[in-house]
mmCIF file of all heavy atoms in Angstrom:
data_model
loop_
_atom_site.group_PDB
_atom_site.id
_atom_site.type_symbol
_atom_site.label_atom_id
_atom_site.label_comp_id
_atom_site.label_asym_id
_atom_site.label_seq_id
_atom_site.Cartn_x
_atom_site.Cartn_y
_atom_site.Cartn_z
ATOM 1 N N ALA A 1 -49.136 1.102 41.784
ATOM 2 C CA ALA A 1 -47.986 1.887 42.224
ATOM 3 C C ALA A 1 -46.773 0.993 42.380
ATOM 4 O O ALA A 1 -46.887 -0.159 42.787
ATOM 5 C CB ALA A 1 -48.302 2.569 43.547
ATOM 6 N N LEU A 2 -45.609 1.546 42.060
ATOM 7 C CA LEU A 2 -44.373 0.806 42.228
ATOM 8 C C LEU A 2 -44.034 0.716 43.704
ATOM 9 O O LEU A 2 -44.443 1.557 44.508
ATOM 10 C CB LEU A 2 -43.234 1.511 41.485
ATOM 11 C CG LEU A 2 -43.333 1.503 39.964
ATOM 12 C CD1 LEU A 2 -42.216 2.350 39.387
ATOM 13 C CD2 LEU A 2 -43.240 0.089 39.428
ATOM 14 N N PRO A 3 -43.241 -0.293 44.105
ATOM 15 C CA PRO A 3 -42.817 -0.383 45.499
ATOM 16 C C PRO A 3 -41.879 0.748 45.860
ATOM 17 O O PRO A 3 -41.359 1.433 44.983
ATOM 18 C CB PRO A 3 -42.090 -1.736 45.551
ATOM 19 C CG PRO A 3 -41.653 -1.982 44.156
ATOM 20 C CD PRO A 3 -42.719 -1.370 43.295
ATOM 21 N N PRO A 4 -41.650 0.996 47.163
ATOM 22 C CA PRO A 4 -40.727 2.069 47.570
ATOM 23 C C PRO A 4 -39.388 1.927 46.873
ATOM 24 O O PRO A 4 -38.854 0.840 46.761
ATOM 25 C CB PRO A 4 -40.589 1.855 49.090
ATOM 26 C CG PRO A 4 -41.851 1.149 49.487
ATOM 27 C CD PRO A 4 -42.211 0.284 48.312
ATOM 28 N N GLY A 5 -38.863 3.066 46.438
ATOM 29 C CA GLY A 5 -37.591 3.058 45.732
ATOM 30 C C GLY A 5 -37.777 3.024 44.234
ATOM 31 O O GLY A 5 -36.813 2.961 43.493
ATOM 32 N N GLY A 6 -39.046 3.027 43.745
ATOM 33 C CA GLY A 6 -39.269 3.106 42.314
ATOM 34 C C GLY A 6 -39.022 1.819 41.589
ATOM 35 O O GLY A 6 -38.895 1.798 40.386
ATOM 36 N N GLY A 7 -38.929 0.693 42.321
ATOM 37 C CA GLY A 7 -38.739 -0.583 41.644
ATOM 38 C C GLY A 7 -37.349 -0.765 41.092
ATOM 39 O O GLY A 7 -37.167 -1.413 40.077
ATOM 40 N N THR A 8 -36.360 -0.158 41.754
ATOM 41 C CA THR A 8 -34.995 -0.274 41.242
ATOM 42 C C THR A 8 -34.351 -1.578 41.620
ATOM 43 O O THR A 8 -33.295 -1.920 41.127
ATOM 44 C CB THR A 8 -34.120 0.869 41.794
ATOM 45 O OG1 THR A 8 -34.092 0.760 43.209
ATOM 46 C CG2 THR A 8 -34.668 2.221 41.385
ATOM 47 N N GLY A 9 -34.974 -2.320 42.555
ATOM 48 C CA GLY A 9 -34.360 -3.567 42.999
ATOM 49 C C GLY A 9 -33.454 -3.375 44.198
ATOM 50 O O GLY A 9 -32.893 -4.323 44.702
ATOM 51 N N ALA A 10 -33.304 -2.152 44.681
ATOM 52 C CA ALA A 10 -32.463 -1.919 45.850
ATOM 53 C C ALA A 10 -33.254 -2.219 47.113
ATOM 54 O O ALA A 10 -34.470 -2.149 47.136
ATOM 55 C CB ALA A 10 -31.981 -0.464 45.870
ATOM 56 N N LEU A 11 -32.557 -2.550 48.188
ATOM 57 C CA LEU A 11 -33.206 -2.857 49.455
ATOM 58 C C LEU A 11 -33.581 -1.565 50.154
ATOM 59 O O LEU A 11 -32.794 -0.638 50.257
ATOM 60 C CB LEU A 11 -32.265 -3.694 50.335
ATOM 61 C CG LEU A 11 -31.810 -5.014 49.727
ATOM 62 C CD1 LEU A 11 -30.832 -5.692 50.665
ATOM 63 C CD2 LEU A 11 -33.001 -5.918 49.447
ATOM 64 N N GLY A 12 -34.824 -1.532 50.685
ATOM 65 C CA GLY A 12 -35.253 -0.375 51.459
ATOM 66 C C GLY A 12 -35.350 0.896 50.656
ATOM 67 O O GLY A 12 -35.365 1.984 51.207
ATOM 68 N N GLY A 13 -35.416 0.804 49.317
ATOM 69 C CA GLY A 13 -35.582 1.985 48.485
ATOM 70 C C GLY A 13 -34.282 2.696 48.183
ATOM 71 O O GLY A 13 -34.282 3.714 47.513
ATOM 72 N N ALA A 14 -33.151 2.184 48.690
ATOM 73 C CA ALA A 14 -31.866 2.835 48.415
ATOM 74 C C ALA A 14 -31.431 2.540 46.994
ATOM 75 O O ALA A 14 -31.886 1.597 46.371
ATOM 76 C CB ALA A 14 -30.805 2.337 49.395
ATOM 77 N N SER A 15 -30.563 3.379 46.479
ATOM 78 C CA SER A 15 -30.073 3.168 45.121
ATOM 79 C C SER A 15 -29.228 1.914 45.065
ATOM 80 O O SER A 15 -28.512 1.600 46.015
ATOM 81 C CB SER A 15 -29.227 4.369 44.676
ATOM 82 O OG SER A 15 -30.012 5.537 44.676
ATOM 83 N N PRO A 16 -29.296 1.163 43.945
ATOM 84 C CA PRO A 16 -28.487 -0.044 43.840
ATOM 85 C C PRO A 16 -27.017 0.312 43.758
ATOM 86 O O PRO A 16 -26.666 1.426 43.376
ATOM 87 C CB PRO A 16 -28.977 -0.681 42.527
ATOM 88 C CG PRO A 16 -29.518 0.464 41.737
ATOM 89 C CD PRO A 16 -30.106 1.406 42.749
ATOM 90 N N PRO A 17 -26.147 -0.625 44.119
ATOM 91 C CA PRO A 17 -24.710 -0.336 44.059
ATOM 92 C C PRO A 17 -24.273 -0.162 42.619
ATOM 93 O O PRO A 17 -24.917 -0.661 41.696
ATOM 94 C CB PRO A 17 -24.082 -1.595 44.677
ATOM 95 C CG PRO A 17 -25.093 -2.675 44.435
ATOM 96 C CD PRO A 17 -26.426 -1.995 44.545
ATOM 97 N N PRO A 18 -23.191 0.579 42.397
ATOM 98 C CA PRO A 18 -22.714 0.734 41.022
ATOM 99 C C PRO A 18 -22.285 -0.607 40.461
ATOM 100 O O PRO A 18 -21.926 -1.514 41.206
ATOM 101 C CB PRO A 18 -21.513 1.688 41.175
ATOM 102 C CG PRO A 18 -21.072 1.495 42.597
ATOM 103 C CD PRO A 18 -22.314 1.215 43.375
ATOM 104 N N PRO A 19 -22.311 -0.756 39.131
ATOM 105 C CA PRO A 19 -21.919 -2.033 38.547
ATOM 106 C C PRO A 19 -20.472 -2.343 38.847
ATOM 107 O O PRO A 19 -19.633 -1.439 38.902
ATOM 108 C CB PRO A 19 -22.138 -1.816 37.037
ATOM 109 C CG PRO A 19 -22.127 -0.339 36.849
ATOM 110 C CD PRO A 19 -22.676 0.235 38.118
ATOM 111 N N PRO A 20 -20.152 -3.620 39.079
ATOM 112 C CA PRO A 20 -18.771 -3.985 39.399
ATOM 113 C C PRO A 20 -17.882 -3.807 38.185
ATOM 114 O O PRO A 20 -18.350 -3.882 37.039
ATOM 115 C CB PRO A 20 -18.881 -5.471 39.770
ATOM 116 C CG PRO A 20 -20.079 -5.942 39.015
ATOM 117 C CD PRO A 20 -21.031 -4.781 39.014
ATOM 118 N N PRO A 21 -16.593 -3.546 38.391
ATOM 119 C CA PRO A 21 -15.693 -3.441 37.238
ATOM 120 C C PRO A 21 -15.592 -4.786 36.541
ATOM 121 O O PRO A 21 -15.576 -5.830 37.183
ATOM 122 C CB PRO A 21 -14.355 -3.034 37.876
ATOM 123 C CG PRO A 21 -14.455 -3.518 39.292
ATOM 124 C CD PRO A 21 -15.892 -3.391 39.668
ATOM 125 N N PRO A 22 -15.543 -4.798 35.204
ATOM 126 C CA PRO A 22 -15.443 -6.067 34.485
ATOM 127 C C PRO A 22 -14.063 -6.671 34.662
ATOM 128 O O PRO A 22 -13.109 -5.977 35.008
ATOM 129 C CB PRO A 22 -15.671 -5.658 33.020
ATOM 130 C CG PRO A 22 -15.216 -4.227 32.958
ATOM 131 C CD PRO A 22 -15.548 -3.645 34.296
ATOM 132 N N PRO A 23 -13.942 -7.984 34.439
ATOM 133 C CA PRO A 23 -12.624 -8.612 34.498
ATOM 134 C C PRO A 23 -11.697 -8.023 33.448
ATOM 135 O O PRO A 23 -12.153 -7.497 32.432
ATOM 136 C CB PRO A 23 -12.916 -10.094 34.204
ATOM 137 C CG PRO A 23 -14.389 -10.251 34.406
ATOM 138 C CD PRO A 23 -14.987 -8.926 34.104
ATOM 139 N N PRO A 24 -10.393 -8.093 33.668
ATOM 140 C CA PRO A 24 -9.448 -7.600 32.657
ATOM 141 C C PRO A 24 -9.685 -8.279 31.319
ATOM 142 O O PRO A 24 -9.812 -9.486 31.229
ATOM 143 C CB PRO A 24 -8.073 -7.977 33.245
ATOM 144 C CG PRO A 24 -8.307 -8.121 34.709
ATOM 145 C CD PRO A 24 -9.716 -8.619 34.865
ATOM 146 N N GLY A 25 -9.783 -7.461 30.281
ATOM 147 C CA GLY A 25 -9.989 -8.007 28.938
ATOM 148 C C GLY A 25 -11.438 -8.233 28.585
ATOM 149 O O GLY A 25 -11.756 -8.638 27.484
ATOM 150 N N THR A 26 -12.372 -7.929 29.523
ATOM 151 C CA THR A 26 -13.785 -8.163 29.261
ATOM 152 C C THR A 26 -14.336 -7.093 28.337
ATOM 153 O O THR A 26 -14.036 -5.919 28.475
ATOM 154 C CB THR A 26 -14.579 -8.155 30.583
ATOM 155 O OG1 THR A 26 -14.068 -9.174 31.415
ATOM 156 C CG2 THR A 26 -16.050 -8.390 30.332
ATOM 157 N N ARG A 27 -15.176 -7.531 27.396
ATOM 158 C CA ARG A 27 -15.848 -6.589 26.510
ATOM 159 C C ARG A 27 -17.223 -6.291 27.066
ATOM 160 O O ARG A 27 -17.890 -7.158 27.611
ATOM 161 C CB ARG A 27 -15.976 -7.166 25.101
ATOM 162 C CG ARG A 27 -14.647 -7.425 24.430
ATOM 163 C CD ARG A 27 -14.843 -8.108 23.105
ATOM 164 N NE ARG A 27 -15.707 -7.340 22.223
ATOM 165 C CZ ARG A 27 -16.118 -7.774 21.030
ATOM 166 N NH1 ARG A 27 -15.758 -8.964 20.612
ATOM 167 N NH2 ARG A 27 -16.902 -7.034 20.270
ATOM 168 N N ASN A 28 -17.666 -5.040 26.932
ATOM 169 C CA ASN A 28 -19.005 -4.674 27.372
ATOM 170 C C ASN A 28 -19.994 -5.098 26.302
ATOM 171 O O ASN A 28 -20.040 -4.535 25.221
ATOM 172 C CB ASN A 28 -19.070 -3.157 27.602
ATOM 173 C CG ASN A 28 -20.439 -2.722 28.086
ATOM 174 O OD1 ASN A 28 -21.287 -3.560 28.402
ATOM 175 N ND2 ASN A 28 -20.648 -1.420 28.155
ATOM 176 N N ILE A 29 -20.812 -6.119 26.590
ATOM 177 C CA ILE A 29 -21.723 -6.638 25.565
ATOM 178 C C ILE A 29 -23.147 -6.180 25.792
ATOM 179 O O ILE A 29 -24.054 -6.615 25.105
ATOM 180 C CB ILE A 29 -21.665 -8.162 25.497
ATOM 181 C CG1 ILE A 29 -22.170 -8.779 26.805
ATOM 182 C CG2 ILE A 29 -20.284 -8.646 25.168
ATOM 183 C CD1 ILE A 29 -22.235 -10.287 26.753
ATOM 184 N N SER A 30 -23.362 -5.310 26.770
ATOM 185 C CA SER A 30 -24.708 -4.787 26.967
ATOM 186 C C SER A 30 -24.853 -3.502 26.170
ATOM 187 O O SER A 30 -24.034 -2.608 26.248
ATOM 188 C CB SER A 30 -24.959 -4.522 28.450
ATOM 189 O OG SER A 30 -26.237 -3.963 28.634
ATOM 190 N N ARG A 31 -25.914 -3.406 25.380
ATOM 191 C CA ARG A 31 -26.117 -2.234 24.525
ATOM 192 C C ARG A 31 -27.290 -1.384 24.979
ATOM 193 O O ARG A 31 -27.728 -0.505 24.274
ATOM 194 C CB ARG A 31 -26.372 -2.687 23.090
ATOM 195 C CG ARG A 31 -25.189 -3.432 22.488
ATOM 196 C CD ARG A 31 -25.513 -3.852 21.087
ATOM 197 N NE ARG A 31 -24.388 -4.533 20.469
ATOM 198 C CZ ARG A 31 -24.449 -5.106 19.290
ATOM 199 N NH1 ARG A 31 -25.568 -5.103 18.608
ATOM 200 N NH2 ARG A 31 -23.399 -5.708 18.780
ATOM 201 N N GLN A 32 -27.838 -1.710 26.134
ATOM 202 C CA GLN A 32 -29.017 -0.981 26.565
ATOM 203 C C GLN A 32 -29.011 -0.904 28.071
ATOM 204 O O GLN A 32 -28.769 -1.884 28.740
ATOM 205 C CB GLN A 32 -30.278 -1.707 26.084
ATOM 206 C CG GLN A 32 -31.580 -1.036 26.498
ATOM 207 C CD GLN A 32 -32.767 -1.710 25.828
ATOM 208 O OE1 GLN A 32 -32.704 -2.042 24.672
ATOM 209 N NE2 GLN A 32 -33.827 -1.887 26.565
ATOM 210 N N SER A 33 -29.240 0.286 28.623
ATOM 211 C CA SER A 33 -29.283 0.428 30.068
ATOM 212 C C SER A 33 -30.651 0.044 30.579
ATOM 213 O O SER A 33 -31.607 -0.079 29.830
ATOM 214 C CB SER A 33 -28.950 1.879 30.448
ATOM 215 O OG SER A 33 -29.903 2.753 29.890
ATOM 216 N N GLY A 34 -30.721 -0.138 31.895
ATOM 217 C CA GLY A 34 -31.986 -0.547 32.483
ATOM 218 C C GLY A 34 -32.989 0.586 32.485
ATOM 219 O O GLY A 34 -32.711 1.722 32.166
ATOM 220 N N GLY A 35 -34.195 0.276 32.881
ATOM 221 C CA GLY A 35 -35.239 1.278 32.930
ATOM 222 C C GLY A 35 -36.580 0.610 33.087
ATOM 223 O O GLY A 35 -36.737 -0.575 32.857
ATOM 224 N N GLN A 36 -37.593 1.391 33.449
ATOM 225 C CA GLN A 36 -38.924 0.861 33.647
ATOM 226 C C GLN A 36 -39.604 0.656 32.299
ATOM 227 O O GLN A 36 -39.609 1.529 31.451
ATOM 228 C CB GLN A 36 -39.736 1.850 34.510
ATOM 229 C CG GLN A 36 -41.172 1.434 34.740
ATOM 230 C CD GLN A 36 -41.248 0.226 35.624
ATOM 231 O OE1 GLN A 36 -40.334 -0.011 36.402
ATOM 232 N NE2 GLN A 36 -42.305 -0.542 35.514
ATOM 233 N N GLN A 37 -40.149 -0.536 32.080
ATOM 234 C CA GLN A 37 -40.888 -0.801 30.856
ATOM 235 C C GLN A 37 -42.367 -0.882 31.190
ATOM 236 O O GLN A 37 -42.757 -1.235 32.298
ATOM 237 C CB GLN A 37 -40.454 -2.118 30.216
ATOM 238 C CG GLN A 37 -38.996 -2.149 29.814
ATOM 239 C CD GLN A 37 -38.151 -2.839 30.833
ATOM 240 O OE1 GLN A 37 -38.636 -3.654 31.603
ATOM 241 N NE2 GLN A 37 -36.887 -2.515 30.867
ATOM 242 N N THR A 38 -43.188 -0.598 30.207
ATOM 243 C CA THR A 38 -44.619 -0.816 30.350
ATOM 244 C C THR A 38 -45.050 -1.728 29.243
ATOM 245 O O THR A 38 -44.518 -1.709 28.138
ATOM 246 C CB THR A 38 -45.399 0.504 30.263
ATOM 247 O OG1 THR A 38 -45.124 1.127 29.010
ATOM 248 C CG2 THR A 38 -44.994 1.464 31.387
ATOM 249 N N GLN A 39 -46.056 -2.566 29.531
ATOM 250 C CA GLN A 39 -46.483 -3.531 28.548
ATOM 251 C C GLN A 39 -47.856 -4.057 28.937
ATOM 252 O O GLN A 39 -48.346 -3.820 30.024
ATOM 253 C CB GLN A 39 -45.505 -4.697 28.475
ATOM 254 C CG GLN A 39 -45.356 -5.436 29.788
ATOM 255 C CD GLN A 39 -44.219 -6.426 29.735
ATOM 256 O OE1 GLN A 39 -43.216 -6.199 29.090
ATOM 257 N NE2 GLN A 39 -44.365 -7.517 30.422
ATOM 258 N N THR A 40 -48.468 -4.782 28.051
ATOM 259 C CA THR A 40 -49.733 -5.425 28.340
ATOM 260 C C THR A 40 -49.557 -6.901 28.159
ATOM 261 O O THR A 40 -48.629 -7.369 27.509
ATOM 262 C CB THR A 40 -50.827 -4.917 27.386
ATOM 263 O OG1 THR A 40 -50.408 -5.168 26.045
ATOM 264 C CG2 THR A 40 -51.055 -3.420 27.566
ATOM 265 N N GLY A 41 -50.485 -7.685 28.732
ATOM 266 C CA GLY A 41 -50.359 -9.134 28.656
ATOM 267 C C GLY A 41 -50.656 -9.651 27.274
ATOM 268 O O GLY A 41 -51.102 -8.936 26.380
ATOM 269 N N GLY A 42 -50.426 -10.971 27.082
ATOM 270 C CA GLY A 42 -50.734 -11.584 25.803
ATOM 271 C C GLY A 42 -49.658 -12.539 25.394
ATOM 272 O O GLY A 42 -48.589 -12.585 25.977
ATOM 273 N N GLN A 43 -49.938 -13.304 24.346
ATOM 274 C CA GLN A 43 -48.974 -14.268 23.853
ATOM 275 C C GLN A 43 -47.753 -13.575 23.280
ATOM 276 O O GLN A 43 -46.642 -13.987 23.490
ATOM 277 C CB GLN A 43 -49.628 -15.143 22.766
ATOM 278 C CG GLN A 43 -50.819 -15.950 23.270
ATOM 279 C CD GLN A 43 -50.398 -17.050 24.185
ATOM 280 O OE1 GLN A 43 -49.383 -17.686 23.934
ATOM 281 N NE2 GLN A 43 -51.128 -17.290 25.258
ATOM 282 N N GLN A 44 -47.982 -12.491 22.507
ATOM 283 C CA GLN A 44 -46.888 -11.731 21.917
ATOM 284 C C GLN A 44 -46.671 -10.492 22.765
ATOM 285 O O GLN A 44 -47.570 -9.684 22.921
ATOM 286 C CB GLN A 44 -47.232 -11.343 20.479
ATOM 287 C CG GLN A 44 -46.276 -10.335 19.864
ATOM 288 C CD GLN A 44 -44.919 -10.935 19.621
ATOM 289 O OE1 GLN A 44 -44.814 -12.011 19.071
ATOM 290 N NE2 GLN A 44 -43.879 -10.248 20.015
ATOM 291 N N LEU A 45 -45.482 -10.325 23.337
ATOM 292 C CA LEU A 45 -45.216 -9.179 24.182
ATOM 293 C C LEU A 45 -44.840 -7.986 23.319
ATOM 294 O O LEU A 45 -43.858 -8.026 22.593
ATOM 295 C CB LEU A 45 -44.075 -9.484 25.162
ATOM 296 C CG LEU A 45 -44.300 -10.704 26.063
ATOM 297 C CD1 LEU A 45 -43.153 -10.818 27.045
ATOM 298 C CD2 LEU A 45 -45.609 -10.593 26.789
ATOM 299 N N PRO A 46 -45.617 -6.893 23.372
ATOM 300 C CA PRO A 46 -45.322 -5.737 22.506
ATOM 301 C C PRO A 46 -44.104 -4.992 22.975
ATOM 302 O O PRO A 46 -43.745 -5.038 24.147
ATOM 303 C CB PRO A 46 -46.584 -4.875 22.652
ATOM 304 C CG PRO A 46 -47.116 -5.214 24.004
ATOM 305 C CD PRO A 46 -46.800 -6.686 24.204
ATOM 306 N N GLY A 47 -43.456 -4.276 22.062
ATOM 307 C CA GLY A 47 -42.295 -3.486 22.423
ATOM 308 C C GLY A 47 -42.695 -2.154 23.010
ATOM 309 O O GLY A 47 -43.808 -1.658 22.805
ATOM 310 N N GLY A 48 -41.784 -1.559 23.756
ATOM 311 C CA GLY A 48 -42.059 -0.266 24.365
ATOM 312 C C GLY A 48 -41.563 0.849 23.478
ATOM 313 O O GLY A 48 -41.150 0.650 22.342
#
């Protein structure tokens, strides 16, 4: 079972704070939002 709060990384199960605004002129280089992954062990980590 995941820890309280669903494993979001927030303290006490609360929702994490919204992402901070980027600096002026900053480009958004993240192409994928967060989320829970599932996987199995091994030398080669399989994709979800």
